mmCIF file of all heavy atoms in Angstrom:
data_model
loop_
_atom_site.group_PDB
_atom_site.id
_atom_site.type_symbol
_atom_site.label_atom_id
_atom_site.label_comp_id
_atom_site.label_asym_id
_atom_site.label_seq_id
_atom_site.Cartn_x
_atom_site.Cartn_y
_atom_site.Cartn_z
ATOM 1 N N MET A 18 139.442 105.883 84.290
ATOM 2 C CA MET A 18 139.691 107.299 84.136
ATOM 3 C C MET A 18 139.011 107.760 82.851
ATOM 4 O O MET A 18 139.156 107.159 81.803
ATOM 5 C CB MET A 18 141.194 107.556 84.078
ATOM 6 C CG MET A 18 141.556 109.004 84.058
ATOM 7 S SD MET A 18 143.343 109.331 83.989
ATOM 8 C CE MET A 18 143.925 108.416 85.369
ATOM 9 N N ALA A 19 138.257 108.833 82.944
ATOM 10 C CA ALA A 19 137.542 109.354 81.792
ATOM 11 C C ALA A 19 138.527 109.906 80.764
ATOM 12 O O ALA A 19 139.518 110.517 81.116
ATOM 13 C CB ALA A 19 136.577 110.449 82.225
ATOM 14 N N GLN A 20 138.240 109.655 79.521
ATOM 15 C CA GLN A 20 139.061 110.180 78.439
ATOM 16 C C GLN A 20 138.226 111.162 77.627
ATOM 17 O O GLN A 20 137.062 110.927 77.372
ATOM 18 C CB GLN A 20 139.536 109.040 77.512
ATOM 19 C CG GLN A 20 140.492 108.082 78.176
ATOM 20 C CD GLN A 20 141.815 108.739 78.492
ATOM 21 O OE1 GLN A 20 142.347 109.502 77.705
ATOM 22 N NE2 GLN A 20 142.344 108.456 79.666
ATOM 23 N N ALA A 21 138.838 112.262 77.250
ATOM 24 C CA ALA A 21 138.143 113.237 76.414
ATOM 25 C C ALA A 21 137.962 112.637 75.030
ATOM 26 O O ALA A 21 138.863 112.005 74.492
ATOM 27 C CB ALA A 21 138.939 114.528 76.322
ATOM 28 N N VAL A 22 136.801 112.811 74.467
ATOM 29 C CA VAL A 22 136.529 112.362 73.105
ATOM 30 C C VAL A 22 136.323 113.622 72.284
ATOM 31 O O VAL A 22 135.499 114.469 72.630
ATOM 32 C CB VAL A 22 135.273 111.464 73.054
ATOM 33 C CG1 VAL A 22 134.957 111.071 71.636
ATOM 34 C CG2 VAL A 22 135.469 110.248 73.927
ATOM 35 N N TRP A 23 137.079 113.738 71.220
ATOM 36 C CA TRP A 23 137.060 114.951 70.421
ATOM 37 C C TRP A 23 136.413 114.701 69.073
ATOM 38 O O TRP A 23 136.627 113.661 68.458
ATOM 39 C CB TRP A 23 138.487 115.452 70.199
ATOM 40 C CG TRP A 23 139.152 115.804 71.479
ATOM 41 C CD1 TRP A 23 139.881 114.964 72.269
ATOM 42 C CD2 TRP A 23 139.117 117.047 72.148
ATOM 43 N NE1 TRP A 23 140.312 115.624 73.394
ATOM 44 C CE2 TRP A 23 139.855 116.909 73.349
ATOM 45 C CE3 TRP A 23 138.535 118.277 71.859
ATOM 46 C CZ2 TRP A 23 140.031 117.957 74.239
ATOM 47 C CZ3 TRP A 23 138.718 119.311 72.752
ATOM 48 C CH2 TRP A 23 139.454 119.145 73.919
ATOM 49 N N LYS A 24 135.637 115.653 68.616
ATOM 50 C CA LYS A 24 135.062 115.613 67.275
ATOM 51 C C LYS A 24 135.856 116.600 66.431
ATOM 52 O O LYS A 24 135.972 117.773 66.783
ATOM 53 C CB LYS A 24 133.589 116.011 67.309
ATOM 54 C CG LYS A 24 132.953 116.022 65.948
ATOM 55 C CD LYS A 24 131.489 116.383 66.043
ATOM 56 C CE LYS A 24 130.876 116.374 64.656
ATOM 57 N NZ LYS A 24 129.451 116.705 64.717
ATOM 58 N N ILE A 42 136.431 119.834 68.947
ATOM 59 C CA ILE A 42 135.623 120.194 70.109
ATOM 60 C C ILE A 42 135.390 118.926 70.929
ATOM 61 O O ILE A 42 135.266 117.834 70.383
ATOM 62 C CB ILE A 42 134.269 120.827 69.715
ATOM 63 C CG1 ILE A 42 133.463 119.903 68.794
ATOM 64 C CG2 ILE A 42 134.454 122.185 69.071
ATOM 65 C CD1 ILE A 42 132.056 120.347 68.542
ATOM 66 N N PRO A 43 135.352 119.064 72.255
ATOM 67 C CA PRO A 43 135.091 117.882 73.072
ATOM 68 C C PRO A 43 133.614 117.492 72.979
ATOM 69 O O PRO A 43 132.738 118.352 73.027
ATOM 70 C CB PRO A 43 135.460 118.322 74.487
ATOM 71 C CG PRO A 43 135.327 119.808 74.465
ATOM 72 C CD PRO A 43 135.613 120.245 73.061
ATOM 73 N N VAL A 44 133.365 116.212 72.825
ATOM 74 C CA VAL A 44 131.983 115.735 72.809
ATOM 75 C C VAL A 44 131.680 114.908 74.058
ATOM 76 O O VAL A 44 130.566 114.476 74.268
ATOM 77 C CB VAL A 44 131.669 114.914 71.535
ATOM 78 C CG1 VAL A 44 131.714 115.817 70.310
ATOM 79 C CG2 VAL A 44 132.618 113.751 71.383
ATOM 80 N N LYS A 45 132.698 114.704 74.866
ATOM 81 C CA LYS A 45 132.551 114.022 76.139
ATOM 82 C C LYS A 45 133.395 114.787 77.154
ATOM 83 O O LYS A 45 134.450 115.309 76.815
ATOM 84 C CB LYS A 45 133.048 112.572 76.015
ATOM 85 C CG LYS A 45 132.871 111.746 77.255
ATOM 86 C CD LYS A 45 133.334 110.323 77.010
ATOM 87 C CE LYS A 45 133.285 109.545 78.299
ATOM 88 N NZ LYS A 45 133.883 108.238 78.164
ATOM 89 N N GLU A 46 132.931 114.858 78.388
ATOM 90 C CA GLU A 46 133.647 115.631 79.400
ATOM 91 C C GLU A 46 135.056 115.102 79.607
ATOM 92 O O GLU A 46 135.262 113.914 79.820
ATOM 93 C CB GLU A 46 132.881 115.573 80.725
ATOM 94 C CG GLU A 46 133.470 116.454 81.780
ATOM 95 C CD GLU A 46 132.634 116.481 83.050
ATOM 96 O OE1 GLU A 46 131.958 115.498 83.337
ATOM 97 O OE2 GLU A 46 132.697 117.495 83.737
ATOM 98 N N PRO A 47 136.069 115.989 79.560
ATOM 99 C CA PRO A 47 137.444 115.556 79.818
ATOM 100 C C PRO A 47 137.684 115.348 81.312
ATOM 101 O O PRO A 47 136.805 115.629 82.137
ATOM 102 C CB PRO A 47 138.281 116.711 79.281
ATOM 103 C CG PRO A 47 137.371 117.884 79.297
ATOM 104 C CD PRO A 47 135.968 117.365 79.156
ATOM 105 N N ASP A 48 138.867 114.863 81.670
ATOM 106 C CA ASP A 48 139.225 114.658 83.073
ATOM 107 C C ASP A 48 139.027 115.950 83.846
ATOM 108 O O ASP A 48 139.226 117.037 83.320
ATOM 109 C CB ASP A 48 140.686 114.233 83.192
ATOM 110 C CG ASP A 48 140.928 112.865 82.585
ATOM 111 O OD1 ASP A 48 139.950 112.137 82.341
ATOM 112 O OD2 ASP A 48 142.095 112.527 82.373
ATOM 113 N N PHE A 49 138.656 115.823 85.107
ATOM 114 C CA PHE A 49 138.369 116.998 85.913
ATOM 115 C C PHE A 49 138.615 116.709 87.387
ATOM 116 O O PHE A 49 138.745 115.563 87.797
ATOM 117 C CB PHE A 49 136.915 117.441 85.734
ATOM 118 C CG PHE A 49 135.940 116.341 86.089
ATOM 119 C CD1 PHE A 49 135.471 116.208 87.385
ATOM 120 C CD2 PHE A 49 135.511 115.436 85.136
ATOM 121 C CE1 PHE A 49 134.594 115.188 87.722
ATOM 122 C CE2 PHE A 49 134.631 114.414 85.465
ATOM 123 C CZ PHE A 49 134.172 114.289 86.762
ATOM 124 N N VAL A 50 138.668 117.744 88.156
ATOM 125 C CA VAL A 50 138.732 117.666 89.615
ATOM 126 C C VAL A 50 137.626 118.567 90.129
ATOM 127 O O VAL A 50 137.469 119.690 89.665
ATOM 128 C CB VAL A 50 140.088 118.166 90.165
ATOM 129 C CG1 VAL A 50 140.066 118.221 91.679
ATOM 130 C CG2 VAL A 50 141.219 117.293 89.689
ATOM 131 N N LYS A 51 136.850 118.071 91.062
ATOM 132 C CA LYS A 51 135.813 118.890 91.686
ATOM 133 C C LYS A 51 136.353 119.383 93.022
ATOM 134 O O LYS A 51 136.706 118.591 93.883
ATOM 135 C CB LYS A 51 134.551 118.061 91.911
ATOM 136 C CG LYS A 51 133.930 117.597 90.610
ATOM 137 C CD LYS A 51 132.727 116.722 90.852
ATOM 138 C CE LYS A 51 132.186 116.245 89.523
ATOM 139 N NZ LYS A 51 131.102 115.315 89.650
ATOM 140 N N TYR A 82 141.475 108.587 90.394
ATOM 141 C CA TYR A 82 140.031 108.795 90.346
ATOM 142 C C TYR A 82 139.351 107.874 91.337
ATOM 143 O O TYR A 82 139.843 106.783 91.632
ATOM 144 C CB TYR A 82 139.497 108.542 88.937
ATOM 145 C CG TYR A 82 139.757 109.720 88.042
ATOM 146 C CD1 TYR A 82 141.019 109.960 87.523
ATOM 147 C CD2 TYR A 82 138.742 110.614 87.747
ATOM 148 C CE1 TYR A 82 141.268 111.061 86.728
ATOM 149 C CE2 TYR A 82 138.977 111.718 86.948
ATOM 150 C CZ TYR A 82 140.236 111.934 86.441
ATOM 151 O OH TYR A 82 140.477 113.028 85.664
ATOM 152 N N GLU A 84 136.796 106.081 90.987
ATOM 153 C CA GLU A 84 136.356 104.814 90.412
ATOM 154 C C GLU A 84 137.499 103.790 90.383
ATOM 155 O O GLU A 84 137.295 102.610 90.207
ATOM 156 C CB GLU A 84 135.789 105.039 89.012
ATOM 157 C CG GLU A 84 136.815 105.585 88.049
ATOM 158 C CD GLU A 84 136.210 106.346 86.887
ATOM 159 O OE1 GLU A 84 135.128 106.907 87.030
ATOM 160 O OE2 GLU A 84 136.851 106.358 85.824
ATOM 161 N N ALA A 142 137.502 115.982 94.880
ATOM 162 C CA ALA A 142 137.348 114.609 94.398
ATOM 163 C C ALA A 142 137.497 114.569 92.889
ATOM 164 O O ALA A 142 137.223 115.554 92.203
ATOM 165 C CB ALA A 142 135.991 114.053 94.820
ATOM 166 N N LYS A 143 137.940 113.447 92.412
ATOM 167 C CA LYS A 143 138.048 113.200 90.980
ATOM 168 C C LYS A 143 137.152 112.009 90.664
ATOM 169 O O LYS A 143 137.349 110.936 91.211
ATOM 170 C CB LYS A 143 139.494 112.854 90.597
ATOM 171 C CG LYS A 143 140.456 113.998 90.707
ATOM 172 C CD LYS A 143 141.881 113.553 90.495
ATOM 173 C CE LYS A 143 142.295 113.605 89.066
ATOM 174 N NZ LYS A 143 143.747 113.410 88.878
ATOM 175 N N GLY A 144 136.169 112.210 89.829
ATOM 176 C CA GLY A 144 135.302 111.103 89.457
ATOM 177 C C GLY A 144 133.861 111.534 89.313
ATOM 178 O O GLY A 144 133.532 112.711 89.322
ATOM 179 N N GLN A 145 132.999 110.559 89.198
ATOM 180 C CA GLN A 145 131.567 110.791 89.055
ATOM 181 C C GLN A 145 130.940 111.011 90.425
ATOM 182 O O GLN A 145 131.429 110.498 91.430
ATOM 183 C CB GLN A 145 130.909 109.601 88.360
ATOM 184 C CG GLN A 145 131.459 109.327 86.974
ATOM 185 C CD GLN A 145 131.247 110.512 86.045
ATOM 186 O OE1 GLN A 145 130.193 111.136 86.039
ATOM 187 N NE2 GLN A 145 132.263 110.831 85.260
ATOM 188 N N TRP A 146 129.832 111.753 90.472
ATOM 189 C CA TRP A 146 129.197 112.076 91.740
ATOM 190 C C TRP A 146 128.824 110.829 92.532
ATOM 191 O O TRP A 146 128.990 110.789 93.748
ATOM 192 C CB TRP A 146 127.976 112.968 91.539
ATOM 193 C CG TRP A 146 127.267 113.187 92.840
ATOM 194 C CD1 TRP A 146 126.029 112.750 93.181
ATOM 195 C CD2 TRP A 146 127.789 113.839 94.007
ATOM 196 N NE1 TRP A 146 125.738 113.103 94.474
ATOM 197 C CE2 TRP A 146 126.800 113.775 95.014
ATOM 198 C CE3 TRP A 146 128.990 114.471 94.314
ATOM 199 C CZ2 TRP A 146 126.971 114.312 96.280
ATOM 200 C CZ3 TRP A 146 129.155 115.004 95.580
ATOM 201 C CH2 TRP A 146 128.155 114.927 96.541
ATOM 202 N N ILE A 149 131.877 109.755 94.261
ATOM 203 C CA ILE A 149 132.264 110.742 95.273
ATOM 204 C C ILE A 149 131.376 110.593 96.502
ATOM 205 O O ILE A 149 131.861 110.572 97.639
ATOM 206 C CB ILE A 149 132.175 112.175 94.703
ATOM 207 C CG1 ILE A 149 133.224 112.368 93.603
ATOM 208 C CG2 ILE A 149 132.343 113.221 95.805
ATOM 209 C CD1 ILE A 149 133.043 113.624 92.780
#
Side-chain angles (χ1 to χ4, degrees):
M18 186 180 306
Q20 293 293 319
V22 177
W23 298 90
K24 179 178 180 179
I42 56 171
V44 293
K45 183 177 174 188
E46 186 175 29
D48 294 345
F49 58 90
V50 174
K51 296 177 182 175
Y82 281 76
E84 62 204 28
K143 291 172 89 170
Q145 300 299 318
W146 175 246
I149 294 168

